[in-house]
Amino acid sequence: MSSASSITEFLLLAFTDKRELQLLHFWLFLGIYVAALLGNGLIITAVVCNHHFHSPMYFFLLTLSLLDLASISTTVPKAMANSLWDTRAISYSACAAQFLLLAFMDTRELQLLHFWLFLGIYLAALLGNGLIITAVVCNHHLHSPMYFFLLNLSLLDLASISTTVPKAMANSLWDSKAISYLGCTAQVFLFVFFISAEFSLLTIMSYDRYMAICKPLHYGTLVGSRACVHMATAAWGSGFLYAVLHTANTFSIPLCQGNALDQFFCEIPQILKLSCSDAYLWEVWVIVVSIFVDFVCFFFIVLSYVQIFRAVLKIPSEQGRHKAFSMCLPHLAVVSLFISTVMVAYLKPPSISSPLLDMVVAVLYSVVPPAVNPLIYSMRNQEVKDTLKKLIQSALSQQQ
């Protein structure tokens, strides 16, 4: 006697008769998929970057391109993976109605320690980034490219830490482990979206500082308000495309190694460990390419700061050099920490993997940056501190 609960997967039988037909299907769909990514990506870039296209017709074209990318990424990557790896299975969502997040589940004391630690970090991130957003919005003197990018960085920091930490705190406080299948999917999508957009934005910010310090005469023309909006939009858009690609690939893979993740949030490497076929290698290649692109961005950031340091060394004032170095070196340290921990988390071989190492690395790239970025990027800035002081004094005077 069978029941619906006994179904663990469906079989997709198209193109499974011959190996030659499978490979033909793979290359055909790969060509179509790349064409769709390229064509719709070019349309999105053109509409976003050219203000002459900011009209209703092109707005609808932009929306159509986003929907086309999302729809084709929902079906084609899984079909290509099945054809390439000679598999037919697609998991039935009822067999993975939820995942179990097993980090900090050893003892009740460790759960409560994790809760209070994450609560402190989360409140620090909310307070720091909230103050930056308030200062930039309320003071028209801070309506400049640098502070516009800082505003976007604070928004991304708040969004990324709010995607993972509240659920982890709730699980620890209530002694729970579960996260729903849809909740895990949403967490992967949003987390990849926000951290990818943030790294793109950090690259843009290094370019902004390079132009301001090394090319001050051209800064006003090359980094105007319109260029800032275009660059910020490109950062958010690139994060969205990364998120669609990684989420579609990750959750198209059959999972049959249980539903336990040794992490405090749904992390892609942990989900790939549950795969029961070689189909996960497709997402591994996507991760490798993505990190290669991130490494190129990191090289650009380092190159920008090298040029900045060379220009700073020419400053006759020792105080001016000290101020510039004290601002730039922490920026570079945070970016280096972020890219190095991401590379360890996503590229380390299974032989050196351990629950403790995985958890520490995940905390370093997902929890620490949103909390320390406000201190490093803005709270040491005198203009921001003066603005916050005036806002607090104004609020206190109104209450009196």
Side-chain angles (χ1 to χ4, degrees):
M1 189 176 196
S2 62
S3 63
S5 61
S6 65
I7 300 174
T8 59
E9 64 184 14
F10 293 104
L11 299 179
L12 306 177
L13 300 181
F15 308 107
T16 57
D17 295 333
K18 297 181 180 180
R19 186 58 182 156
E20 294 77 9
L21 192 59
Q22 288 178 326
L23 293 177
L24 175 62
H25 160 249
F26 169 78
W27 290 111
L28 179 63
F29 270 34
L30 178 62
I32 295 174
Y33 190 49
V34 170
L37 291 177
L38 181 62
N40 288 287
L42 289 174
I43 291 174
I44 294 169
T45 303
V47 174
V48 168
C49 295
N50 192 337
H51 70 280
H52 296 295
F53 291 157
H54 294 177
S55 64
M57 181 180 76
Y58 291 108
F59 171 76
F60 293 131
L61 277 176
L62 172 66
T63 305
L64 179 64
S65 292
L66 291 172
L67 290 172
D68 282 340
L69 283 178
S71 64
I72 197 170
S73 296
T74 304
T75 57
V76 170
K78 174 59 180 174
M80 289 193 298
N82 278 8
S83 292
L84 182 61
W85 305 113
D86 193 18
T87 182
R88 292 176 275 184
I90 183 170
S91 60
Y92 178 59
S93 62
C95 73
Q98 64 181 15
F99 291 96
L100 300 179
L101 304 176
L102 300 184
F104 308 108
M105 288 297 138
D106 295 335
T107 62
R108 185 60 183 154
E109 292 76 12
L110 194 59
Q111 287 178 325
L112 293 177
L113 175 62
H114 160 246
F115 169 78
W116 289 111
L117 179 62
F118 270 32
L119 178 62
I121 295 174
Y122 188 52
L123 290 177
L126 290 178
L127 179 63
N129 289 289
L131 288 174
I132 291 172
I133 294 170
T134 303
V136 174
V137 170
C138 294
N139 189 346
H140 68 279
H141 294 295
L142 300 183
H143 294 178
S144 63
M146 182 180 76
Y147 294 107
F148 172 75
F149 293 133
L150 282 175
L151 172 66
N152 278 267
L153 180 66
S154 293
L155 291 173
L156 288 169
D157 280 337
L158 283 179
S160 65
I161 199 171
S162 296
T163 301
T164 58
V165 169
K167 176 60 178 174
M169 289 193 300
N171 279 5
S172 291
L173 182 62
W174 303 114
D175 193 17
S176 173
K177 308 175 187 177
I179 182 172
S180 67
Y181 185 88
L182 290 178
C184 189
T185 305
Q187 197 174 69
V188 168
F189 176 83
L190 292 174
F191 183 69
V192 174
F193 176 22
F194 295 134
I195 66 166
S196 299
E198 179 169 336
F199 195 71
S200 299
L201 188 67
L202 290 172
T203 307
I204 293 169
M205 290 172 67
S206 70
Y207 169 76
D208 171 69
R209 291 297 84 205
Y210 165 74
M211 293 300 299
I213 296 174
C214 301
K215 307 283 184 181
L217 298 179
H218 303 283
Y219 182 71
T221 56
L222 294 178
V223 192
S225 58
R226 184 174 297 167
C228 290
V229 172
H230 290 167
M231 287 188 284
T233 304
W236 286 80
S238 65
F240 178 80
L241 293 178
Y242 267 111
V244 169
L245 187 59
H246 284 289
T247 306
N249 275 311
T250 300
F251 289 95
S252 67
I253 297 170
L255 307 176
C256 62
Q257 303 291 330
N259 62 347
L261 306 176
D262 289 322
Q263 196 53 273
F264 63 90
F265 70 101
C266 288
E267 189 184 42
I268 289 178
Q270 296 294 328
I271 298 173
L272 296 182
K273 290 181 180 179
L274 306 180
S275 173
C276 53
S277 73
D278 290 335
Y280 79 95
L281 294 176
W282 179 259
E283 171 60 14
V284 171
W285 278 110
V286 174
I287 290 174
V288 170
V289 172
S290 299
I291 291 184
F292 174 76
V293 174
D294 290 341
F295 191 78
V296 171
C297 293
F298 177 67
F299 177 77
F300 179 82
I301 292 172
V302 172
L303 189 63
S304 298
Y305 278 114
V306 167
Q307 297 299 320
I308 290 172
F309 292 151
R310 290 177 61 185
V312 166
L313 289 174
K314 298 177 182 178
I315 298 176
S317 169
E318 184 177 347
Q319 183 179 3
R321 291 198 302 270
H322 175 74
K323 181 180 178 180
F325 278 118
S326 66
M327 290 182 63
C328 293
L329 286 175
H331 298 184
L332 193 58
V334 169
V335 174
S336 301
L337 175 67
F338 178 81
I339 190 65
S340 60
T341 50
V342 167
M343 291 179 66
V344 170
Y346 285 79
L347 297 181
K348 69 179 182 299
S351 59
I352 66 170
S353 179
S354 70
L356 180 60
L357 175 63
D358 294 344
M359 184 189 63
V360 170
V361 169
V363 168
L364 288 176
Y365 80 81
S366 66
V367 178
V368 172
V372 301
N373 277 345
L375 296 174
I376 290 177
Y377 283 94
S378 296
M379 291 306 177
R380 295 160 53 128
N381 187 299
Q382 192 60 43
E383 290 179 294
V384 174
K385 290 193 287 189
D386 290 342
T387 299
L388 292 175
K389 188 182 297 183
K390 290 178 182 178
L391 289 173
I392 294 172
Q393 291 173 349
S394 176
L396 292 176
S397 63
Q398 289 179 358
Q399 289 181 353
Q400 295 173 354

